[in-house]
Amino acid sequence: MSTAAKTVTAPGTDQITSFTFGELLSSRTVIGQTLKELGETHDNLWVLTPDIGATLVEFRDTYPDRFVDVGLSEQACVGIAAGLANEGNIPVVSGMLPFLSMRALEQVRSDICYPNLPVKIVGTHGGLVGNGGSTHYAVEDLGLMTSLVNMTVTSIGDPLMVGEVLRQSMAMTGPLYIRLAVGKKDKVVYEPGSVQIEIGKGITAREGTDLTLFAHGETVSQALDAAGILAREHGINARVVDMFTLKPIDEDLILRCAEETGRFVVVEDHLTYGGLASQIADVIADRGIRLDGFRRLGIPQVFAGFGEDTELRDKHGYGLQATVDAALAVTA
Amino acid sequence: MFQYGMHVDPQDLRNPERDRFVLSKGHAAVCMYITMAIRGFFDYREIVDTYGQLGSAYGMHPCKVQLPGVEVSTGSLGHGLPLATGMALHGKRSGMDHRVFTLMGDGETGEGSVWEAALAAHSNNLGNLVAFIDRNRQLMTSFSEERVKLEPYPDKWRAFGWNVIEVDGHDMAALVQAFDSLPAPDSDVPTVVICDTVKGKGVDFMERNLAWHAGSLNDTDLARALASLAHGRKAA
C-alpha cells in the first residue's frame, strides 16, 4: 500500500499542504499542528513537557496559558498533569518515552491510572531509534504501560495516524499512551481515508491468507516490505496487521487472523517479552487457539548498543530479512 | 485546616470556588477522615465502624474514586506537591481566587519529586499554593537530623523561592495566625508553613519514640495513652 508515490492532501491539517505518499513526514510536526488545532476546539486542553517542546511552539505561542514546560522534571510533569486533569482539564504530556515511562512510572500509575484521569502521554524514542544508546531507548515501555490498570496503549508509525488518534482521544475519559519512534522522519503508510482508524481496533494494512505479520509503529512499514518480498520472490501471500493499539488488544482480529491464516509472525521494536507478541500470545493461550506457527521478533534480553535503527534491527534479529526468514519458517 | 483555614462546603463538594486539600502524607488518612467528619463531610460512626474493612471507602490511604469527598488519591510519598501544583496552576491560570493546600511530612520531602514541584510552583508564580509541613523530625526508622540532614530546612524552601512561615504545630493560635497571614491567592509566591511538631505529643511513652511510628494500641496501651493525655490536659 505504501509504494505508490503520489501527492495527496492530509485531512484535518492546513499547514501540511502535501506530502509524497510512501515517503517521510515528521510525526512531531503533526502532533504540534494537531494540538494547536485541538486547542481551539477544546479550551481545557493543556500541553505539558519536560523540556522537549521544540515542536510544541505553535501551541505554546497560541495558548500560553495552557502550556507548561517544567524543565527536566518528568515526575513533577506527570503529577502536575494529574492535578490539572483533576480540575477537569485534558492534559497532554509530551516528551521522551524512556523517561516518561520509567522515571515517572509511579506517577503515571498512581496519579493518573488509579483515579482514571484523561491524561495523554505522547512521546518519542520508542524502540532502538535515535542512536542514543540504552539510556535513550524505550524498549520496556509497552510492557510497563500495558500492565497498568485503566491505561490505553498505542504505538504508531504513520505520522498522519498520530493526529487522528489524538483527535479521537479527546473523547476518552481515561489515560492514553502514544508511542512514536524518532518522530522526525516517519513513513506515511496509509493514504488518508484509505483505512479506518479506531483506537482499540487493529488495521489490516495488507490482505493475505498464508500467514499474518503483526507489527506496530515503525515495523509496520517493514512488515509491508517483507510481505512484498514474500509475494514477489516466494509466492507467499502475507497479511499485515498494524496492531497500533496494544491495549485493549483487538481480540476479534487476532481470532480472525488465526482462523484465516493459521500462522503468526510478530515483529516489533521492543523487547520480545512484554510487548505485542506477549499480548497476542496471551489471547492465543486464553482462547485455546492452536496455531500452525508462531514467531516473535524483537529485541532480545540485551542492552542493544549504538547504530542506526535498521542496523540494530538486523543485528538483533528483527530486521527486514529476519522478518522474511521467519515468515518462510512458519509457512515451510 | 478543615475547621478554620479552608473555605469548603460539605454540601457542595464540587464548587469550583472551594479551597482544595491534598493529603500528601496519605498514611494520615484516618486523621483526615475524622477531621472531615467533624466538619460534616462524612459520618463519624461509619468511619469507625468500617475503617479498613472489605468494601469500606475509608482505607489506610485515601482514594477519591471510592470516597469522592477527598480531592485526590494519595499514599505514595512525594506525590502530593506535584498534584497540588497542577491544581493550583489551573486556579491561577483561570484567574480564580481559591487556594490549594497540601500537607506533607518532613520525611517525605526527601523525595526528589517534591523539589521538582517546588521549582515548578515557584517558576509558575503559584501564590495560591500553600504547603503545610509536619516537621516532626522522625522518619520510620530514624530521626531526620541523624541520618538525613534536612536543616537548614526553612532556608532550603526560601532558596527554592518560597515564602516560609514557621510555627509551633501544636499551638492552635499560632496556626490560626499562620492562616490569617497567608499572602493573597493572586500573589506570586507559594507559601510553605513549617509546623514544628512532636510525634506522639501528649502521650508520654510515645513522644519521639520510633517504636510508635506505626505501632498498634492494645487495651492496656490505650488506657495508658488516655491517662497520659488527661494528665497533660490537667497540668496545662
Side-chain angles (χ1 to χ4, degrees):
Chain A
M1 290 185 71
S2 63
T3 49
K6 58 180 172 176
T7 303
V8 293
T9 303
T13 56
D14 47 6
Q15 278 83 11
I16 299 169
T17 53
S18 67
F19 59 90
T20 303
F21 187 51
E23 297 219 339
L24 304 175
L25 188 68
S26 161
S27 290
R28 299 188 199 187
T29 304
V30 174
I31 290 170
Q33 291 174 356
T34 307
L35 290 175
K36 187 189 167 209
E37 163 203 324
L38 292 171
E40 190 169 331
T41 49
H42 296 78
D43 64 5
N44 58 346
L45 176 69
W46 286 62
V47 174
L48 299 93
T49 183
D51 194 34
I52 307 286
T55 52
L56 306 171
V57 170
E58 284 186 73
F59 186 95
R60 182 194 71 191
D61 292 347
T62 312
Y63 313 106
D65 285 349
R66 290 185 272 139
F67 179 83
V68 191
D69 180 352
V70 296
L72 295 167
S73 354
E74 286 81 10
Q75 297 175 54
C77 192
V78 172
I80 290 168
L84 287 165
N86 206 58
E87 295 290 334
N89 298 295
I90 303 174
V92 176
V93 177
S94 177
M96 285 179 62
L97 296 180
F99 316 125
L100 290 174
S101 70
M102 291 190 286
R103 187 183 293 242
L105 177 60
E106 203 202 25
Q107 278 76 12
V108 172
R109 185 260 201 189
S110 293
D111 299 349
I112 293 173
C113 292
Y114 184 24
N116 198 23
L117 294 170
V119 177
K120 291 108 185 52
I121 292 166
V122 54
T124 59
H125 293 78
L128 302 183
V129 294
N131 207 356
S134 288
T135 57
H136 283 58
Y137 301 141
V139 298
E140 307 88 348
D141 62 321
L142 297 172
L144 298 169
M145 291 296 142
T146 52
S147 300
L148 301 179
V149 175
N150 289 329
M151 180 62 94
T152 296
V153 180
T154 64
S155 169
I156 302 173
D158 186 310
L160 297 177
M161 270 177 70
V162 181
E164 178 57 25
V165 167
L166 274 173
R167 270 180 223 105
Q168 287 185 18
S169 77
M170 290 301 111
M172 288 175 66
T173 53
L176 171 66
Y177 182 81
I178 302 176
R179 177 202 226 227
L180 308 172
V182 178
K184 277 184 179 167
K185 294 177 180 172
D186 304 303
K187 201 174 276 184
V188 175
V189 180
Y190 308 110
E191 183 176 350
S194 69
V195 291
Q196 191 171 356
I197 296 163
E198 184 184 344
I199 296 170
K201 299 285 180 201
I203 296 169
T204 303
R206 184 190 197 281
E207 279 297 353
T209 50
D210 295 331
L211 80 154
T212 305
L213 296 172
F214 287 97
H216 58 81
E218 285 213 327
T219 54
V220 173
S221 61
Q222 178 181 301
L224 287 164
D225 290 344
I229 293 170
L230 288 164
R232 281 193 310 275
E233 300 178 11
H234 303 280
I236 290 171
N237 190 8
R239 178 178 297 185
V240 176
V241 167
D242 178 352
M243 199 62 96
F244 79 94
T245 308
L246 282 88
K247 188 189 171 194
I249 195 82
D250 188 345
E251 289 201 18
D252 291 344
L253 183 55
I254 293 170
L255 296 177
R256 201 159 67 241
C257 290
E259 194 177 306
E260 293 171 359
T261 74
R263 297 169 175 88
F264 288 0
V265 171
V266 187
V267 54
E268 57 186 325
D269 203 357
H270 187 275
L271 293 175
T272 50
Y273 292 92
L276 179 60
S278 294
Q279 295 285 319
I280 291 174
D282 281 354
V283 174
I284 291 168
D286 290 348
R287 296 298 191 99
I289 296 167
R290 283 186 65 90
L291 290 174
D292 297 322
F294 181 87
R295 291 281 189 286
R296 57 174 89 204
L297 305 183
I299 308 163
Q301 286 286 310
V302 295
F303 287 108
F306 302 104
E308 295 301 320
D309 50 2
T310 50
E311 295 171 337
L312 287 169
R313 283 187 214 168
D314 288 340
K315 177 183 174 186
H316 294 297
Y318 65 106
L320 179 59
Q321 188 58 50
T323 309
V324 171
D325 291 346
L328 292 174
V330 296
T331 51
Chain B
M1 298 169 80
F2 276 94
Q3 315 309 328
Y4 180 80
M6 296 198 302
H7 300 285
V8 289
D9 180 355
Q11 306 306 320
D12 192 5
L13 293 179
R14 292 289 163 253
N15 186 332
E17 301 294 326
R18 74 193 184 282
D19 286 340
R20 275 67 160 171
F21 178 70
V22 176
L23 182 66
S24 190
K25 48 179 296 178
H27 52 276
V30 68
C31 306
M32 179 178 71
Y33 301 148
I34 298 297
T35 195
M36 288 179 78
I38 293 169
R39 185 69 177 80
F41 281 87
F42 309 130
D43 177 41
Y44 173 81
R45 271 295 4 134
E46 192 185 336
I47 300 168
V48 173
D49 290 345
T50 72
Y51 178 76
Q53 294 173 17
L54 185 67
S56 175
Y58 304 99
M60 187 186 294
H61 301 98
C63 173
K64 74 169 272 192
V65 177
Q66 295 172 84
L67 188 64
V70 302
E71 293 282 354
V72 292
S73 305
T74 50
S76 179
L77 298 174
H79 287 235
L81 193 60
L83 288 164
T85 298
M87 295 161 77
L89 194 56
H90 169 87
K92 177 85 177 180
R93 299 263 181 102
S94 308
M96 299 164 82
D97 66 357
H98 63 270
R99 289 189 175 93
V100 179
F101 293 91
T102 186
L103 174 59
M104 292 183 281
D106 57 349
E108 76 166 295
T109 65
E111 300 283 0
S113 52
V114 170
W115 300 100
E116 290 184 11
L119 280 175
H122 168 57
S123 302
N124 287 282
N125 307 315
L126 301 182
N128 57 345
L129 177 62
V130 183
F132 277 69
I133 295 180
D134 180 10
R135 179 75 172 113
N136 56 49
R137 295 168 188 264
Q138 275 183 236
L139 287 80
M140 191 156 67
T141 58
S142 69
F143 294 96
S144 72
E145 297 312 307
E146 278 178 1
R147 213 159 292 168
V148 181
K149 295 183 197 294
L150 292 176
E151 292 293 342
Y153 198 56
D155 288 346
K156 284 191 169 65
W157 287 96
R158 283 189 199 99
F160 273 72
W162 285 56
N163 171 44
V164 178
I165 299 174
E166 295 177 69
V167 297
D168 175 350
H170 299 292
D171 183 343
M172 281 297 163
L175 285 166
V176 164
Q177 196 181 5
F179 272 110
D180 290 344
S181 62
L182 290 175
D186 64 354
S187 61
D188 288 338
V189 179
T191 292
V192 59
V193 183
I194 299 174
C195 305
D196 190 17
T197 60
V198 175
K199 220 181 238 189
K201 171 83 171 173
V203 180
D204 50 10
F205 62 96
M206 288 184 180
E207 279 192 15
R208 297 215 188 281
N209 182 348
L210 292 174
W212 282 100
H213 170 87
S216 293
L217 289 164
N218 60 27
D219 288 344
T220 313
D221 296 329
L222 179 62
R224 280 172 65 206
L226 290 173
S228 180
L229 284 168
H231 181 75
R233 275 196 212 100
K234 199 182 286 177

